[in-house]
Amino acid sequence: MNFSRPGGAAKLLLLVLLSFSLYFWGLGSYGLLEPDEGRYSEIPREMRETGDYITPRLNYIKYFEKPVLHYWLTASAQAVFGENEFSGRFWPALLALGGVLLTYLTARSMFDRDTALYSSVILTTSLVYFTFSRINITDMPLSFFLTAAMTGFWFGLQKDRRFYLLLYGGAALALLTKGLIGIVLPGGIIFWYMVLTRRWDIVRSALYLPGIILFAALSLPWFVAVCVKNSDFFYFFFIREHFLRYATKMHGKYEPVWFFIPILVAGLFPWTGLLPGAIRSVLPSRIRAIGTEKREELFLFLWFAVIFLFFSLSRSKLVPYIIPVFPPLAVLMGRVFREIVSDGDGRGMKWFLLWNSAFLVPFILALFVYPFFNSRISAGRLLPYTLPVALALSAFVAAGWYFYRKSRFRLPALFLCLLAFLVMFSFSRVFTLYDGLISARDLAGIVAELRRPGDVIAQYGNYDQGLPFYLKQRIVLVNYLGELEFGAKQEEDPFWFIGTEQLQELWRGNRRVILVINSEHEKTVFALLAPNISSVAARTERRIILVNHP
């Protein structure tokens, strides 16, 4: 798969077409997945409705957990494509492909075209990277901006200082996407690279005045504006949502320090077998040679390791936090795969297949067996989703061993790359399964059919964040604050956050109320309100909809 040969451009074009098809095919076909997609689609919708692009609001109250850039991007997509699922996911998908492009350019600069191609394919078809490219959350945009920053640093160090503008611009936009990690993570990577390579001249080189000016021009205006407009923003965002969130269990998202290790292993499917070789490729010939040889591999490893360790040491952990480690890992793995393909004796291919089989075969067996032991979803409903993925992964493993037995290594490289796309295409159908499990779209459709002008819509003991997005209406929340606690305390109108007594008054009043409750709250709410049988307007798998004046 050498680009210097005839057909190299055609193969690159094929990669581009397959990547865009994979990432955008059916992007808007499934409902917003709770809770994140509902939240990150509703906040931009409310910005467009109110015209206030400075203060983020969720269910029309202040919401300061994240900076503003992701909301602005989503609002721009809504303005072009409408307020729908596709517009919510447009920027994560596009920026994920942007991350693939930057990975290609980095690998091409460090190594060669074949490595760049393999790295791009590996990143595009890695399970976790692909999955979160199709979900509207802040982590994929963050990954893109961090990748841009690190690419800018490497190009600025190796080629032209003007590339440092990309470093500073990427860091500024990462700061506007998810906060101080946009500065901390690139700074940590650069610091350790400078220390291990003993290249102290990096300080003088990287302190680039035009870049510093660009960083300030991009990042400071919104932070100044939101602080001026909201005196409580600084403490909540910088102290509570950064230092306290990182160092304490206050958000209830604590996981052990090893939490991300199995996530990383599974997240690299179907290429996990390359990971041991990628880590081994960083090691120099002797200890004293650390920092003097294999500087490209060292930089990529530090890019991965600093981010991975930073989030592993955090007291608050969620799966998508480690998305930014996948681009540098993809380059290291792409480098190993290129060497395996070029290896005439097949030893590298054998070890890759052995490791890959060790990781993938148990997962394949689980996909075949799990539907029959799962108590939540019937096997008949689950098998149409797990079976295609299991078969595609089986073909990936079998094809590798078949070509190895035939001692043909360049052809299986192309074949495995195409099969990896097939694996992700088959996996993409899983999103339609989750549409029926954790999306508020169908629930909102039922409520919309029942709703009349002037109706109050309330939810008891829970908050489906997609409801206000689909209904274009504020929701009264009963016995629930959750992540809205900060904004709720500043709400001047007590009508929107009420307890059981206020609910009883509202229910018995003259206004028509549509109340959404969880199925497990049925006995509690029925004892509280004593509704008539006719008040039960509809039931879904997880919710009950009551109306006081049917």
Side-chain angles (χ1 to χ4, degrees):
M1 203 177 293
N2 192 322
F3 281 83
S4 62
R5 300 174 183 175
K11 292 167 185 173
L12 181 59
L13 178 61
L14 178 62
L15 169 62
V16 172
L17 292 176
L18 284 174
S19 299
F20 269 89
S21 299
L22 176 63
Y23 278 53
F24 281 95
W25 174 69
L27 192 61
S29 62
Y30 47 95
L32 299 177
L33 305 180
E34 292 290 327
D36 295 326
E37 287 204 300
R39 176 193 315 123
Y40 293 127
S41 295
E42 174 60 10
I43 293 173
R45 188 197 71 79
E46 292 182 20
M47 281 185 166
R48 298 181 65 239
E49 180 183 307
T50 62
D52 185 354
Y53 289 88
I54 300 298
T55 303
R57 291 180 176 84
L58 178 59
N59 203 30
Y60 297 86
I61 62 172
K62 292 179 180 180
Y63 186 84
F64 290 152
E65 291 202 7
K66 297 292 184 293
V68 77
L69 181 56
H70 186 66
Y71 308 142
W72 287 348
L73 292 175
T74 306
S76 71
Q78 289 177 350
V80 175
F81 303 112
E83 294 174 354
N84 52 50
E85 295 84 357
F86 179 84
S87 64
R89 300 176 185 128
F90 172 79
W91 280 106
L94 186 65
L95 293 179
L97 291 174
V100 173
L101 174 61
L102 290 173
T103 300
Y104 177 89
L105 294 174
T106 301
R108 179 69 183 89
S109 173
M110 289 181 169
F111 303 112
D112 52 62
R113 290 178 178 177
D114 281 0
T115 298
L117 175 69
Y118 293 137
S119 302
S120 302
V121 172
I122 290 168
L123 182 61
T124 304
T125 58
S126 290
L127 181 60
V128 160
Y129 192 84
F130 168 67
T131 297
F132 289 104
S133 74
R134 297 176 65 88
I135 301 177
N136 181 16
I137 55 176
T138 59
D139 298 272
M140 186 56 74
L142 172 68
S143 176
F144 171 78
F145 295 128
L146 289 178
T147 303
M150 301 322 301
T151 300
F153 167 74
W154 183 258
F155 278 39
L157 187 64
Q158 301 295 328
K159 297 178 181 293
D160 189 320
R161 289 188 74 201
R162 285 175 292 184
F163 281 107
Y164 284 139
L165 290 172
L166 187 59
L167 164 65
Y168 284 96
L173 297 178
L175 173 64
L176 278 173
T177 300
K178 212 168 180 182
L180 292 177
I181 57 175
I183 304 172
V184 172
L185 294 179
I189 297 164
I190 294 170
F191 171 79
W192 284 111
Y193 181 75
M194 180 177 65
V195 169
L196 292 178
T197 58
R198 296 174 290 281
R199 286 200 56 181
W200 312 115
D201 62 304
I202 288 177
V203 174
R204 185 175 62 256
S205 173
L207 288 176
Y208 185 52
L209 182 59
I212 296 172
I213 294 172
L214 176 64
F215 178 88
L218 289 175
S219 62
L220 289 183
W222 178 76
F223 280 106
V224 171
V226 74
C227 285
V228 169
K229 195 171 183 179
N230 304 274
S231 59
D232 45 5
F233 173 83
F234 185 88
Y235 173 82
F236 183 88
F237 180 75
F238 287 107
I239 306 301
R240 186 178 186 274
E241 288 302 304
H242 280 78
F243 299 105
L244 295 181
R245 184 180 187 131
Y246 186 87
T248 71
K249 302 178 184 179
M250 61 179 293
H251 280 279
K253 297 172 182 176
Y254 172 77
E255 298 292 347
V257 70
W258 50 263
F259 173 74
F260 288 120
I261 295 176
I263 301 301
L264 181 68
V265 171
L268 290 169
F269 285 172
W271 300 101
T272 312
L274 293 170
L275 183 58
I279 302 301
R280 190 169 56 251
S281 71
V282 179
L283 300 176
S285 58
R286 62 190 189 281
I287 296 297
R288 291 184 178 180
I290 294 177
T292 60
E293 62 181 41
K294 295 189 173 183
R295 286 188 169 181
E296 290 82 1
E297 288 88 347
L298 176 63
F299 175 71
L300 293 168
F301 177 76
L302 290 173
W303 180 352
F304 152 72
V306 168
I307 298 174
F308 189 83
L309 289 174
F310 177 86
F311 287 117
S312 294
L313 295 175
S314 171
R315 307 287 278 181
S316 180
K317 298 181 182 70
L318 289 173
V319 172
Y321 286 1
I322 62 164
I323 293 173
V325 309
F326 284 85
L329 273 183
V331 179
L332 287 171
M333 294 164 69
R335 176 67 166 168
V336 170
F337 194 58
R338 186 219 183 273
E339 292 174 353
I340 287 173
V341 171
S342 303
D343 182 10
D345 60 14
R347 285 182 297 177
M349 179 65 75
K350 180 181 178 180
W351 279 109
F352 162 56
L353 295 175
L354 284 172
W355 278 111
N356 224 31
S357 299
F359 289 124
L360 290 182
V361 170
F363 183 69
I364 293 169
L365 293 176
L367 289 174
F368 282 119
V369 174
Y370 175 74
F372 299 99
F373 293 91
N374 171 55
S375 58
R376 184 183 177 190
I377 310 171
S378 67
R381 184 179 178 186
L382 199 53
L383 274 173
Y385 298 96
T386 62
L387 192 58
V389 179
L391 292 175
L393 284 172
S394 299
F396 188 91
V397 173
W401 283 111
Y402 172 80
F403 286 109
Y404 172 75
R405 293 288 299 274
K406 296 290 185 180
S407 298
R408 302 171 68 183
F409 305 129
R410 286 196 173 273
L411 183 58
L414 173 61
F415 203 67
L416 290 178
C417 289
L418 294 176
L419 281 175
F421 276 97
L422 178 62
V423 170
M424 290 304 115
F425 271 114
S426 64
F427 177 79
S428 65
R429 297 182 63 253
V430 173
F431 290 103
T432 61
L433 172 65
Y434 279 95
D435 180 11
L437 295 175
I438 57 172
S439 174
R441 181 170 65 173
D442 293 342
L443 174 65
I446 296 172
V447 173
E449 291 181 0
L450 295 170
R451 180 177 54 178
R452 301 171 188 170
D455 282 0
V456 175
I457 300 174
Q459 188 164 13
Y460 178 91
N462 193 23
Y463 175 42
D464 287 310
Q465 302 195 24
L467 275 181
F469 175 81
Y470 285 115
L471 297 172
K472 315 299 186 233
Q473 179 175 339
R474 189 174 184 180
I475 307 298
V476 175
L477 297 179
V478 185
N479 286 353
Y480 181 87
L481 292 177
E483 60 187 343
L484 299 180
E485 181 178 4
F486 168 78
K489 289 179 178 178
Q490 304 180 57
E491 175 58 55
E492 298 179 356
D493 187 351
F495 176 79
W496 299 105
F497 295 90
I498 61 177
T500 53
E501 292 183 4
Q502 294 90 340
L503 175 62
Q504 287 175 319
E505 294 176 5
L506 182 64
W507 185 260
R508 294 164 185 167
N510 294 326
R511 295 190 67 177
R512 190 168 184 265
V513 179
I514 299 175
L515 178 64
V516 179
I517 67 173
N518 291 1
S519 298
E520 62 265 26
H521 294 153
E522 181 175 1
K523 290 183 179 180
T524 302
V525 174
F526 276 51
L528 179 69
L529 302 179
N532 299 320
I533 296 177
S534 60
S535 295
V536 181
R539 291 178 182 266
T540 69
E541 191 172 338
R542 299 179 299 126
R543 303 286 186 262
I544 301 172
I545 304 171
L546 306 175
V547 181
N548 65 340
H549 300 304

